[in-house]
Each structure stands twice: as structure tokens, then as C-alpha cells.
Amino acid sequence: MAYLKIDHVDKVFSRGNRETEVLKDIVLTVEKGEYVSIIGHSGCGKSTLLNIVAGLTPATQGGVLLEGREVNAPGPDRAVVFQNHSLLPWLSSYDNVKLGVDKVFGRTKSRAERHDWVMHNLDLVQMGHARDKRPSEISGGMKQRIGIARALAMEPKVLLLDEPFGALDALTRAHLQDSVMALHQKLGNTVLMITHDVDEAVLLSDRIVMMTNGPSARIGEVLDVPLPRPRKRLELAANATYLKCRQRVLEFLYERHRYVEAA
Amino acid sequence: MTIALQKSADAAATPVTASATIVPLSQPRASNVQTKLIPAAKEWAATLIPPIITVGALLLLWQILCMKPGATLPSPSRIWTDAKDLIVDPFFVAGPQDIGLGWRILTSLQRVAVGFGLASIVGVLLGALVGQSVWAMRGLDPIFQVLRTVPPLAWLPIALAAFRDSRPSAIFVIFITSIWPIIINTAVGIRNIPQDYRNVASVVQLNQLEFFWKIMIPSAAPYIFTGLRIGVGLSWLAIVAAEMLTGGVGIGFFIWDAWNSSRLSDIIIALIYIGIVGFVLDRMVAFIANIATRGTQAA
Ligand SMILES: Nc1ncnc2c1ncn2[C@@H]1O[C@H](COP(=O)(O)OP(=O)(O)O)[C@@H](O)[C@H]1O
Ligand SMILES: [Mg+2]
């Protein structure tokens, strides 16, 4: 039985009497510990799909099963790292992480244990030194690290990442990708990540889910990335498997499902 | 040349020794006075001198205009001789109705504190309800929009009829005057809470109460404080008017009493007191807002 199952999900947004079908018959299973990326052109419905898995948006048809049980409300078992970090600006880094920890472990961990757990997760993303800083006092990459720490600290069954590096410059992005890869290696999380960056998808994922353009976007193709871990971005640059995977995704996105508006 | 470069590079690399050689010199201290004290004094002068000049000029103009024999209003010098006791000692007590203006202001402020305090609590709660629930907004917003245009004093007869006592009536007038901007601004603040914060709250599974304290209040704080600031100003406007009608020892009644016994100089002094206190109240709320909302704006 699949760990996470997206079961024939349709999504229709209705505004007034106008209806737009964004997602059509999405079926996807993710195994425990797997790193799956969803790639597609902007506006095709990637965030909508992730929000449905997170329980933040209800599916019009179909549903989401986690360990065989239907989930239709948000919860810390499916922690989200949002594209624009979504840290609460009036809280320090420490308190932002603590907010989730207190809710999830309020009953099971003592105050001291929770403190240690917050610090442990800040250290995991190398942000222990920024514990007392407010989001406005740290850089975009650091904010995203805190966002990742906040999600990890909830010990989610599935970690949902919505274009987590989209707003960052190339160098910071590479740095964070390496961190996320190391964390995945170390903790073995199940990850569902949205991206529009082909290299990022190939570098990080075990499987890449390619979505067709909207409206009524569906899964066009699923590609296995049979690269051994740990992966090193420099060594992969000339790796035949890597290049082949990259080529497949590029072909899908820019030949068969070209973004019409951008052309 | 190369040696000199080498040396400076060394100095840069070992700042500890470099600073150790600088410390004994007294020069930085002397320049400290020059670089810090003098500009500070200049800044003070720049902010203080213009208002002093304008106030002086206005007093002079006033003196000239009201010195003529047929003048209807007292001149500044006349006020000084008439109301010297009120000006120099705000806190004298010479009898049950003969007390310094400081005491009267304090009495009025006490009423404002009660009325405005209640309005703040109820206003923020109602504002949160209206901002959070579409149905509460549809039901209540039209009522708020109509009621907020009712002038403060129009509430007084109803309050007197309901409470049959002047003290709670004055407090009620403050309450009902200042609550509308608090409700409306809080509601706007709540409606403007970014969806991201709501998403975070849902993922973490905050309950209603936690959401109220941990997300709503801090996120809407800048709006809430705008409402409170408008509200405190309105309270102060309303209390003076209400006290003129309800009596007692407040500053409002003092003005009414002074008018009835033709003590124009006293009235002018009272006006100055009221203006200054209103200004201080406004600045106090602004100051608290500054501290409370520091860093809460999204980066
Ligand atoms: N709440 C909503 N109401 C109506 N339409 C929406 C809503 N959210 C998203 N959409 C539409 O759904 C489509 C997919 O959006 P989104 O999932 O954000 O795309 P992506 O993340 O792939 O860029 C877009 O055309 C967008 O306009
Ligand atoms: Mg998106």
C-alpha cells in the first residue's frame, strides 16, 4: 500500500457562475522516504495540488490518503514550506519554530525537551545563531531555512515544499538545495516538492512528475531518476543518466507542452 | 612602498594591536563632544526655536488686538493677572469646588480611562468578529456605519434616561464615541491578515483562542492602534462636552461654570490645559503603538 496516495483528484474553482477546472483526474502515489518533485509551467495548478494534499484547499472530486487514511484538513503531519517563507514577522526565528513544536509536542515533551528540539532543528538548518533574529533582520535564504526548520520540527509524515527556492538567487538556491538533500539523506523524510527548475528537479528527486498545461492540467509523464545518493552537483554535471533525465524533462516542458502564453 | 603596504595589511589583519596603540590618544574624546553634542544641540534648537517664535508672535498679536478698551476677550496679560492661581499651581485645593485644574483634568481622565478602556476591549473583540466572519460583517457593518455618525452628545439624553445618573452616562458617551473607529479599524486589520498566516495557523492547528492571540492580534496590531489613536482623540473631545452637561468636578464642567460666572480668563486657561492633555494622550498611544508593533511589519 502506498504511503501517500492522491486518488483521482479534480479541482474546479467557481467564481460567481464561472467555473474553471484547474486539475483533472490526478493520480499519484508516493512511497515512504521518497523524494518526488512536481514540475510544470506557471499557473498549471501545482500549488493547488500541493494545497489539496496539505488540506488547505478541498478537492472537488477524489481525495488524499496518508497511510491508508483519508486526510481532508490541514495538520502538522503534512507540514508545508511555503514559497514566500510565511514566517510570522513579529516572532523571532526561535519562536516561529517553537509555535509548531509547542502545538505538536505540547503533551508529549517537557518544556526543556521542547526547547532542545527547537534548537536541534534550528541547528539542522544551520540557523542556531539566528535564533533571536526577527524575519525582517535575516536574508531570504535564511528565512527559507527557518521555514524548513519549522516544518521539520513538526516531524511531518510528508514534507510539502512549494517552490521553496523560487525566490532566491542562484548561489543561495544551490546552497539550500544541498542542505535539503543532506537533510533528506539524514532524516529520510517523505518529500513532495513543487518546482519549475529542471536542474533542481533532477538533482533532488527520486521521481519527477510532469504536469501538462492548464486548464484541466493532468499528469503528463512520470520520470524515474535512477541516480545513486548521495549526489554531488559537480559530478553530476557530466553524468549520462543525469543529462538524459534532464533532457526528458526539457523535452516535455518545451516541446510537447510548451507554455503557449510565453511563446 | 611595498613595505608600507605590507605593514598596513598586517595592521588590518591584527586589529587588536592596532587599536591598542590608538587607545591612549586623547583626540577621539575631544572630537566626541564635537561630533555628538553640538549636532544634538543644533537639532534641539531646530525643533524648539520655530514653535517658540510662532507662539511668541501669536501672543503678541493677541495682546495687541485685545488691549483696546472695547475688546470682548481678555488679553494674555489680563489672563495672567486674572487666573494666576490656575496657571502656577494645577494641584491646589481650596474648597470642594475650588480646586486646581490638574485635579479636574485627572477626574476627566479617570472617566476617559474607564470609557475608553471598555471601548478598547469591546471594540477589538467586535472588530475581530466582524473582520473574521462574513455573516457578522454583513449583519453588523451597516449598523456600525450608521451609528458611528451619531454625534457624541446625541447619546447623552438616552444614557441619562437609561442610567439615571450622570457619572455612568458620561462614561457611556465616551464609550460609544470611541468604539466605532476601534471596531472598524480592527475589522480591516483582521480582514487584511495575509492568507499565508492563516495557512500557517491551519497547518500548526492553532485553535480559535490561540489564533486570536498569536496571529490575529499581532497581525492586525498596526490597524488596531490606528483605531485606538482615533478613539482616544474622540474620547477626549466627548468628555469635555459631556461634562459640560452632566456637572461634577471634571474640566468640562469647569468651563461651563466659568462661562456662567463670566470668568473668561479661566476658560482660556482650561482650553490650553485640554489641548495639551489631548496632545499628550495622542502621543502616548502613538508611543505605545510604536513599541508594540515594532518589527511586526512584514519585511
Ligand atoms: N482561489 C482560487 N480561485 C480561483 N482560481 C484560482 C484560485 N487559486 C488558483 N486559481 C487558479 O488556478 C490556476 C492554478 O494556480 P496555481 O495552483 O497557483 O498554479 P501554479 O502553482 O502551478 O503556478 C491558476 O490559473 C489560478 O488562477
Ligand atoms: Mg505556485
Side-chain angles (χ1 to χ4, degrees):
Chain A
M1 189 180 58
Y3 191 61
L4 174 73
K5 179 162 182 165
I6 301 171
D7 195 7
H8 298 280
V9 161
D10 294 352
K11 180 67 195 179
V12 179
F13 281 113
S14 39
R15 213 172 255 158
N17 48 16
R18 271 194 50 198
E19 293 198 335
T20 36
E21 185 173 56
V22 176
L23 298 172
K24 174 79 183 162
D25 201 30
I26 303 288
V27 180
L28 177 67
T29 57
V30 180
E31 296 306 324
K32 191 165 186 184
E34 206 179 6
Y35 198 118
V36 175
S37 294
I38 299 173
I39 196 165
H41 289 291
S42 170
C44 75
K46 306 182 294 293
S47 295
T48 306
L49 180 58
L50 195 90
N51 285 343
I52 290 173
V53 176
L56 295 167
T57 306
T60 311
Q61 284 289 323
V64 178
L65 299 159
L66 181 58
E67 289 186 311
R69 249 184 266 165
E70 180 167 14
V71 283
N72 46 21
D77 56 345
R78 282 151 294 134
V80 189
V81 177
F82 299 93
Q83 171 163 12
N84 50 350
H85 68 79
S86 298
L87 298 179
L88 302 177
W90 52 88
L91 296 181
S92 66
S93 303
Y94 179 89
D95 287 329
N96 263 292
V97 178
K98 188 164 173 283
L99 186 73
V101 170
D102 281 351
K103 274 306 275 186
V104 178
F105 301 108
R107 297 243 174 76
T108 51
K109 282 191 205 287
S110 71
R111 182 178 288 268
E113 283 171 331
R114 276 179 275 148
H115 166 79
D116 290 344
W117 182 240
V118 172
M119 286 315 294
H120 171 73
N121 280 280
L122 283 173
D123 289 335
L124 272 183
V125 295
Q126 293 126 45
M127 281 293 110
H129 62 90
R131 54 178 281 185
D132 295 324
K133 295 239 163 65
R134 294 254 180 94
S136 56
E137 299 168 311
I138 57 181
S139 70
M142 291 163 87
K143 281 182 231 182
Q144 210 50 276
R145 281 175 189 272
I146 305 292
I148 292 169
R150 176 172 65 184
L152 286 176
M154 294 182 229
E155 281 199 324
K157 291 179 177 153
V158 181
L159 187 60
L160 303 172
L161 310 174
D162 188 353
E163 301 196 19
F165 319 119
L168 306 175
D169 62 272
L171 270 177
T172 313
R173 184 188 305 193
H175 235 81
L176 237 72
Q177 288 166 348
D178 290 342
S179 295
V180 166
M181 244 193 312
L183 284 171
H184 179 241
Q185 187 79 18
K186 183 170 171 182
L187 306 173
N189 305 93
T190 311
V191 185
L192 191 59
M193 177 181 82
I194 288 175
T195 180
H196 55 227
D197 180 331
V198 178
D199 289 298
E200 180 173 291
V202 179
L203 179 68
L204 295 175
S205 322
D206 298 316
R207 270 191 303 148
I208 301 173
V209 175
M210 291 169 254
M211 286 180 70
T212 65
N213 287 334
S216 303
R218 40 171 81 236
I219 293 177
E221 194 177 328
V222 180
L223 177 72
D224 276 308
V225 184
L227 289 167
R229 292 179 188 272
R231 298 172 181 171
K232 298 242 160 57
R233 75 173 60 239
L234 285 179
E235 292 166 14
L236 286 179
N239 181 305
T241 316
Y242 178 86
L243 293 174
K244 219 172 74 195
C245 291
R246 195 170 175 278
Q247 189 63 26
R248 275 291 283 281
V249 181
L250 285 173
E251 271 170 20
F252 180 92
L253 289 177
Y254 299 104
E255 270 178 30
R256 281 185 284 150
H257 296 278
R258 218 137 60 90
Y259 189 42
V260 191
E261 282 164 50
Chain B
M1 193 57 194
T2 45
I3 292 168
L5 269 177
Q6 183 71 43
K7 251 192 176 169
S8 66
D10 277 348
T14 53
V16 181
T17 48
S19 66
T21 53
I22 286 170
V23 165
L25 297 176
S26 59
Q27 209 156 12
R29 205 173 267 195
S31 71
N32 206 14
V33 175
Q34 258 170 3
T35 54
K36 281 197 181 147
L37 238 60
I38 291 177
K42 270 188 185 160
E43 207 173 298
W44 271 99
T47 49
L48 281 182
I49 289 176
I52 289 174
I53 292 175
T54 45
V55 168
L58 280 175
L59 283 176
L60 194 68
L61 184 69
W62 180 2
Q63 180 72 30
I64 293 166
L65 286 177
C66 296
M67 253 185 350
K68 286 178 293 181
T72 50
L73 293 176
S75 64
S77 60
R78 180 75 199 285
I79 292 170
W80 176 252
T81 46
D82 281 357
K84 196 172 165 205
D85 54 339
L86 292 177
I87 299 168
V88 293
D89 185 6
F91 291 105
F92 69 83
V93 181
Q97 267 299 334
D98 190 10
I99 55 176
L101 286 184
W103 292 117
R104 296 182 184 276
I105 293 270
L106 282 180
T107 315
S108 301
L109 276 177
Q110 216 176 351
R111 288 179 187 156
V112 167
V114 176
F116 176 70
L118 283 174
S120 307
I121 296 166
V122 178
V124 169
L125 289 176
L126 271 178
L129 179 71
V130 172
Q132 185 68 2
S133 144
V134 180
W135 285 103
M137 187 185 80
R138 286 189 192 150
L140 292 171
D141 195 55
I143 302 175
F144 294 162
Q145 297 297 344
V146 170
L147 289 184
R148 82 187 169 92
T149 63
V150 175
L153 281 190
W155 292 102
L156 193 58
I158 292 181
L160 284 170
F163 295 111
R164 295 171 189 284
D165 186 6
S166 67
R167 214 186 110 82
S169 300
I171 289 173
F172 175 78
V173 169
I174 307 270
F175 173 84
I176 206 77
T177 307
S178 56
I179 197 169
W180 311 115
I182 301 175
I183 292 177
I184 291 166
N185 280 281
T186 303
V188 171
I190 301 284
R191 240 172 282 157
N192 280 337
I193 295 177
Q195 186 60 39
D196 291 343
Y197 301 169
R198 295 180 184 277
N199 286 347
V200 168
S202 330
V203 169
V204 176
Q205 287 184 331
L206 297 183
N207 61 36
Q208 294 277 320
L209 197 66
E210 288 166 328
F211 183 69
F212 179 78
W213 282 115
K214 296 189 173 178
I215 309 283
M216 272 179 155
I217 295 292
S219 179
Y223 293 87
I224 295 174
F225 275 106
T226 305
L228 291 178
R229 207 170 155 186
I230 300 171
V232 84
L234 290 179
S235 305
W236 194 234
L237 292 183
I239 187 65
V240 173
E243 281 176 349
M244 287 174 100
L245 300 183
T246 58
V249 285
I251 188 81
F253 181 69
F254 173 83
I255 292 180
W256 189 244
D257 191 40
W259 165 245
N260 283 330
S261 38
S262 306
R263 286 182 278 119
L264 279 181
S265 299
D266 289 7
I267 295 179
I268 287 166
I269 296 303
L271 290 189
I272 292 169
Y273 267 87
I274 291 169
I276 290 172
V277 171
F279 174 79
V280 170
L281 279 180
D282 182 66
R283 282 307 149 104
M284 255 165 55
V285 177
F287 179 73
I288 295 169
N290 245 332
I291 290 177
T293 63
R294 189 165 40 196
T296 64
Q297 259 71 43

